[in-house]
Structures are given as structure tokens and as C-alpha cells.
Amino acid sequence: MAGISIGNAGADPLAATALPIEATTLGDVVQEVFLIQTPPPQWIIIAAGAVALLVVLTRGPWRLARNVVTIVHEGGHAIVALLCGRQLSGIRLHSDTSGVTVTRGRPDGLGMVLTVLAGYIAPSIVGLLGILMLVGNRITALLWISILLLLAMLLLIRNIYGVISVVGTGLVIFGVSWFTPAEVQAAFAYFFTWFLLVAGVRPVFELQSQRRAQPTPQSDADQLDRLTGVPGTAWVFVFGLVNVAALGAGVWLLMF
């Protein structure tokens, strides 16, 4: 078996208001997490989207926030690899916001293609799934599912910076979901999903710019080129098309 490295609505009258979680038993926690919350005012949704866009477009905040994109990118590789029957050896996240997911299995075939394909579209797909949960007013559930996924990913991390990135992200989400009032939870949840939708687009442009300036044969697009015979630039276009479509769907679901 070869080891393969992979880089980079209206309010419900029965709805509850999200509050800091104060339950003392596991059953109480689960019940509170999966309550349907009252949706926030439309201005909060719009403001969260505007802040997310600002973070993506501003160099300093983007440099830090891009670590979250890398976590989701590599998590996308890992989840699809498992679904395709591949074995996961580990995930590494680096301080330059790059990452690598190492899997074991056939070095070619549909499973490998899907595994490589998953990375660049994962943030947008996860963001769109988050929007669907928010449309269903499952704000706290969204935050806690995110925490559980990060805990699962932590078991696969194989370097210190990766542990710091995943644990730090998880602690921020936990703190918001456990200690903050409804308005803060809602604003954060909408910001987080908006961010993933918007942030899914920028790395595609960065990938193509990097391929032009300094060709990287280990990029996802170039690996797909070797696996399928379809040029890497065409795969960059596919990444961009999927992510822009997900962003458009998210805007439509939240704003119309």
C-alpha cells in the first residue's frame, strides 16, 4: 500500500432562545444543544457577512483566519479518504497555512481522485451545510457539531502547530457556545458560516497565482492532472465553479 500525501426564515413561535449552556448532566446538555433557537434579526446576518468578507479581503486578519480554512481543507481530504476506503496516516498543519493529509491505499483510481478533489471545495461545502443548519435555526447545534469534528480531527494531527491550531479553534467555538448570550452565539455562527463560504473562493485564486509564478507539482490541481489527464488549470476552474456556486446558494438561502 502506497502512502499518498495530499496538500493543501421566519421565527418559530415554539423556538427557544439560545442562552449560555448551564446544564449539569449530559442529557441536559444534549437537549439544550439541539433546541431550535429564535433566528437573529436580519441586520445581524448581514453584518456577520460583511465582517466575514472584510476578514477575507484584509491581509492581516486573512493571514490568521486562513488557518481555519486549512483545517477544513485537510479535514475534507480526510473525510473523503475514509469514505472511499483509504487509510489515514495523519494530518499536518503548518504555520505558513499549508497542510498535508497522508493516506494509504491505491495511488490512483476514483477514490484517490475524490480524495484530492475534496480539499479546495471543502470550506465552501461545509459553509453551505452550516447555512442549512442556520436556516433551520440550529445555532447551538452547529457550534457543537463543529467542536466534535475538531476533536475527531485532533486525533489525526501529527505536529505541534497542528494541535495548537485545532485546539485553539475549538476553544474559541466552545467559549462562544457555552458562555455567551443568544445574540453573540447567533452573530458568531453566522460569521463562521459566511466566512467559510467567502473564504472558500480566495484560496482558488491563490492556487492559480502560485501555479503561474512557481509551479508546484504537489498542488491538488497538479495531482489531479496526473491522476486524470485533465489539465491542472481545468481543475482550478472546477474548484472555483463549485465554491462560487456554494457562495451564491448561501446568499440566496440567507437573504431571499
Side-chain angles (χ1 to χ4, degrees):
M1 303 282 277
I4 309 297
S5 296
I6 302 171
N8 206 335
D12 183 345
L14 299 179
T17 300
L19 296 171
I21 295 179
E22 299 177 351
T24 56
T25 68
L26 179 60
D28 291 338
V29 170
V30 172
Q31 183 177 4
E32 289 196 32
V33 164
F34 287 96
L35 284 175
I36 297 175
Q37 285 91 37
T38 303
Q42 190 74 0
W43 73 266
I44 289 182
I45 298 173
I46 296 172
V51 173
L53 180 60
L54 184 63
V55 169
V56 172
L57 295 179
T58 307
R59 177 177 297 182
W62 170 245
R63 178 65 180 78
L64 178 62
R66 202 185 191 288
N67 287 281
V68 177
V69 178
T70 303
I71 291 172
V72 182
H73 179 115
E74 300 303 332
H77 285 314
I79 290 173
V80 174
L82 290 173
L83 292 175
C84 291
R86 301 184 64 81
Q87 296 180 352
L88 282 172
S89 297
I91 299 172
R92 291 179 176 270
L93 307 173
H94 303 131
S95 60
D96 63 356
T97 71
S98 65
V100 59
T101 299
V102 181
T103 71
R104 296 177 62 85
R106 284 184 56 184
D108 54 18
L110 180 61
M112 187 61 189
V113 170
L114 293 176
T115 299
V116 179
L117 176 63
Y120 273 96
I121 66 174
S124 295
I125 298 300
V126 171
L128 185 56
L129 292 174
I131 294 295
L132 292 174
M133 292 194 68
L134 293 179
V135 169
N137 301 319
R138 303 285 185 172
I139 296 171
T140 306
L142 170 64
L143 298 177
W144 276 73
I145 289 173
S146 300
I147 293 170
L148 292 175
L149 290 173
L150 286 168
L151 285 173
M153 187 173 182
L154 185 61
L155 299 176
L156 299 168
I157 298 296
R158 296 294 182 264
N159 66 325
I160 296 298
Y161 186 83
V163 171
I164 293 172
S165 295
V166 173
V167 171
T169 302
L171 286 176
V172 169
I173 299 174
F174 173 78
V176 171
S177 66
W178 193 269
F179 297 110
T180 65
E183 294 80 4
V184 176
Q185 288 188 36
F188 180 84
Y190 278 92
F191 164 77
F192 186 62
T193 50
W194 273 126
F195 172 75
L196 290 177
L197 282 174
V198 178
V201 177
R202 178 166 176 171
V204 178
F205 288 96
E206 293 176 343
L207 170 63
Q208 186 61 16
S209 296
Q210 182 183 35
R211 294 180 70 248
R212 288 176 177 174
Q214 185 179 0
T216 52
Q218 292 307 311
S219 76
D220 291 2
D222 292 291
Q223 288 190 62
L224 287 167
D225 184 344
R226 292 193 298 274
L227 287 166
T228 66
V230 177
T233 302
W235 286 108
V236 174
F237 178 77
V238 171
F239 298 155
L241 183 63
V242 172
N243 293 353
V244 170
L247 175 59
V251 171
W252 184 83
L253 285 169
L254 287 180
M255 307 302 297
F256 300 101

